[in-house]
Amino acid sequence: MRRVAALQLVLFALLAGTARAEGPVLGFSVASSAAVQSPVSLPSAGTPNQPGRISVPVSFTVPPASPEQLGVDQLHVLWSQAGAAYGIPWQVLAAINKIESNFGQNMGPSSAGAIGWMQFMPSTWLRWGVDADGDGIANPWVASDAIYSAARYLAAAGGQTDISRGVFAYNHADWYVNEVLSLAQVYGQSGPAETAELERLQAALESARTEVVVANQGLVAVQAKVRAMGVVSRKLQARVRSMDILSDRLVAERRAVLYDARIQGLRDVAAEARVTVAEAEQGLDAARQSARAPSFASGTGALLGSPAFESDYVFPVGGGPQVVSVSHTHHDYPAADIAAPSGAPVYALGASTVVRAWHMPDERCGIGLTLQTRDGLEWTYCHLSYLEAGIQTGSALAAGAPVGLVGSTGHATGPHLHLQLHPATAWPQEQPWFQRFAGTAFRWQDAPTPLDSITGSEQVFSVVPADGEPVIGFTR
């Protein structure tokens, strides 16, 4: 607990110093005390590798059977040494390492084909990869090689004199630059011990959310079976009442009694599942309490999934633009599909009252709710994996109050929050408050598609029937 308190004090101090800034504070410096300890002569950042000048593992785009895993203290040494070698702030390397692979927990290959500790595209690795550990191989799955390579790439892109420019070269998106530099500011002011504690808090939150999702899935499945069996039970009871012959009635009654006994057994299972859900909810509440103070510090909100505020509005899904995305359009009518990982936190988008809430999934919308904000607009949330127990019809919600977790219940092909006005008379994406969160709480999936494509003035996709196939393909 002392470590948590120390982290909270550090992050509160950070919040006090940066909360009023329009963007990340670029006060980085390279630690002069970090000695370069690479056993090899490092290549210059001035020119890329010439073809055939580095050796890479056979099938280097395929992850090894047992990927290397290092702790924050070990990584801090590499960040510091690589940063000193190429004139790049270590905390920027740390932030990129976190955002790209979660410190080696998710090294890909990504959907785009990026690989390793720092998520290089293979072609970029061949040009800028470094053999930092001196084993004769430049390996993106080895932390030292990947981190030194990232430092070299940032330096080659001008990061020694303009770190924003260097980070932009790493990923050509303003939201990415802001997220990296904001997180780097946190790491630079908190140090490795508090960085490790922040990791622990994030892992505890994610684990608690996952436990709630899994527990609620079990409860929903049992409850659905109880309901389905209840329909059959009522038919059996009706059959008993319709029997005129005593012997037939006795046979039907026995069948109905035995069936009801099965239902009672399932009800007992459902009761146990409710206890499991309640325990998971308590664990999530505890994790939220531990992360409450750090989650308000600038730069940590996206990591901990805390709500992003803008005037009187809150973006309804937490996690930041690295993991939350929205398309400018919806597949068939005015609505927003906010893509995010299963279990990502969902919030009330404004001060509101719950108009309707359903904890059991319906066929199309799944688990969800409708809330009415103070301006009289009604907003419907769909496809949640879990709706907070306290969300009931008539509940009053503050802006940013947690309402549930992202899922894919109902008619959904993947985890996302379906958000729409009720009735669906306008696109949420066209609301000024929604657009103000672009680049801070989410990223546009189809950027730079202009908003006027919604009205059909610019065709984004055309439908192309595939020859001989009963499938419709899409192309730009």
Side-chain angles (χ1 to χ4, degrees):
M1 292 302 295
R2 286 196 297 270
R3 208 179 252 188
V4 174
L7 174 63
Q8 292 175 348
L9 287 173
V10 169
L11 295 179
F12 269 135
L14 174 61
L15 176 62
T18 63
R20 291 183 296 275
E22 290 296 320
V25 180
L26 308 182
F28 301 125
S29 61
V30 181
S32 59
S33 60
V36 180
Q37 297 181 8
S38 176
V40 297
S41 176
L42 296 171
S44 165
T47 56
N49 303 325
Q50 297 303 305
R53 292 303 298 271
I54 64 168
S55 297
V56 297
V58 177
S59 302
F60 77 100
T61 59
V62 178
S66 300
E68 178 186 33
Q69 293 296 304
L70 299 178
V72 170
D73 288 343
Q74 295 168 295
L75 290 171
H76 185 264
V77 173
L78 293 175
W79 300 326
S80 299
Q81 293 176 353
Y86 285 105
I88 298 297
W90 72 264
Q91 55 266 45
V92 172
L93 293 172
I96 291 175
N97 197 173
K98 173 63 180 178
I99 291 171
E100 293 293 346
S101 74
N102 194 21
F103 295 160
Q105 299 300 309
N106 184 19
M107 292 194 278
S110 72
S111 58
I115 54 175
W117 277 86
M118 303 299 275
Q119 290 293 279
F120 276 87
M121 294 299 292
S123 58
T124 308
W125 181 261
L126 294 175
R127 287 171 58 81
W128 298 103
V130 174
D131 169 25
D133 60 7
D135 66 355
I137 298 174
N139 190 344
W141 307 97
V142 170
S144 57
D145 291 1
I147 292 170
Y148 273 84
S149 299
R152 181 189 182 197
Y153 184 82
L154 290 168
Q160 292 175 337
T161 56
D162 185 348
I163 192 60
S164 296
R165 176 184 171 188
V167 175
F168 186 84
Y170 212 93
N171 186 334
H172 301 300
D174 289 335
W175 66 260
Y176 181 82
V177 175
N178 291 335
E179 194 160 293
V180 166
L181 297 185
S182 294
L183 187 56
Q185 199 73 21
V186 172
Y187 290 157
Q189 295 194 28
S190 63
E194 287 75 20
T195 298
E197 181 60 25
L198 183 58
E199 281 293 289
R200 190 196 66 77
L201 291 175
Q202 183 192 14
L205 263 176
E206 292 179 350
S207 176
R209 290 171 184 146
T210 299
E211 288 183 14
V212 169
V213 169
V214 172
N216 200 57
Q217 284 174 340
L219 175 59
V220 166
V222 175
Q223 288 177 325
K225 196 164 186 178
V226 168
R227 289 188 178 187
M229 292 181 71
V231 173
V232 176
S233 175
R234 288 190 289 274
K235 291 180 179 178
L236 291 175
Q237 295 293 345
R239 182 174 177 80
V240 171
R241 292 190 296 271
S242 70
M243 292 294 179
D244 295 327
I245 301 174
L246 179 60
S247 60
D248 291 342
R249 179 184 291 243
L250 291 175
V251 171
E253 283 180 346
R254 182 174 183 276
R255 184 177 300 165
V257 168
L258 290 175
Y259 196 83
D260 285 349
R262 291 173 57 192
I263 295 177
Q264 185 55 51
L266 272 180
R267 288 195 179 108
D268 294 340
V269 173
E272 295 174 0
R274 288 190 191 92
V275 172
T276 302
V277 170
E279 291 173 347
E281 289 170 337
Q282 291 175 0
L284 179 55
D285 286 342
R288 285 171 174 165
Q289 288 297 326
S290 295
R292 186 175 299 277
S295 69
F296 285 101
S298 177
T300 66
L303 282 184
L304 300 175
S306 56
F309 289 83
E310 176 66 44
S311 186
D312 294 332
Y313 288 93
V314 170
F315 195 73
V317 178
Q322 181 68 17
V323 298
V324 180
S325 62
V326 186
S327 172
H328 283 96
T329 61
H330 186 263
H331 49 84
D332 52 3
Y333 61 91
D337 280 347
I338 305 174
S342 179
V346 177
Y347 301 105
L349 59 83
S352 53
T353 301
V354 177
V355 178
R356 291 175 294 278
W358 49 100
H359 295 254
M360 281 289 291
D362 69 19
E363 184 177 355
R364 292 189 59 81
C365 188
I367 296 171
L369 75 156
T370 297
L371 54 82
Q372 184 179 63
T373 48
R374 289 176 177 173
D375 56 8
L377 295 178
E378 290 190 4
W379 298 89
T380 295
Y381 292 46
C382 290
H383 308 314
L384 302 181
S385 60
Y386 163 78
L387 187 65
E388 297 277 341
I391 302 297
Q392 303 292 339
T393 300
S395 299
L397 302 176
V403 299
L405 301 173
V406 167
S408 54
T409 56
H411 184 62
T413 56
H416 68 281
L417 173 66
H418 174 99
L419 178 71
Q420 70 175 69
L421 282 163
H422 185 81
T425 55
W427 298 78
Q429 302 93 317
E430 290 186 311
Q431 297 285 323
W433 69 264
F434 195 108
Q435 294 176 20
R436 285 197 294 269
F437 285 107
T440 57
F442 74 93
R443 70 183 186 277
W444 291 113
Q445 290 173 1
D446 49 0
T449 306
L451 281 174
D452 62 7
S453 66
I454 294 174
T455 65
S457 61
E458 177 180 331
Q459 188 173 11
V460 182
F461 293 93
S462 58
V463 180
V464 181
D467 293 336
E469 296 289 339
V471 206
I472 297 297
F474 294 86
T475 183
R476 277 197 181 274

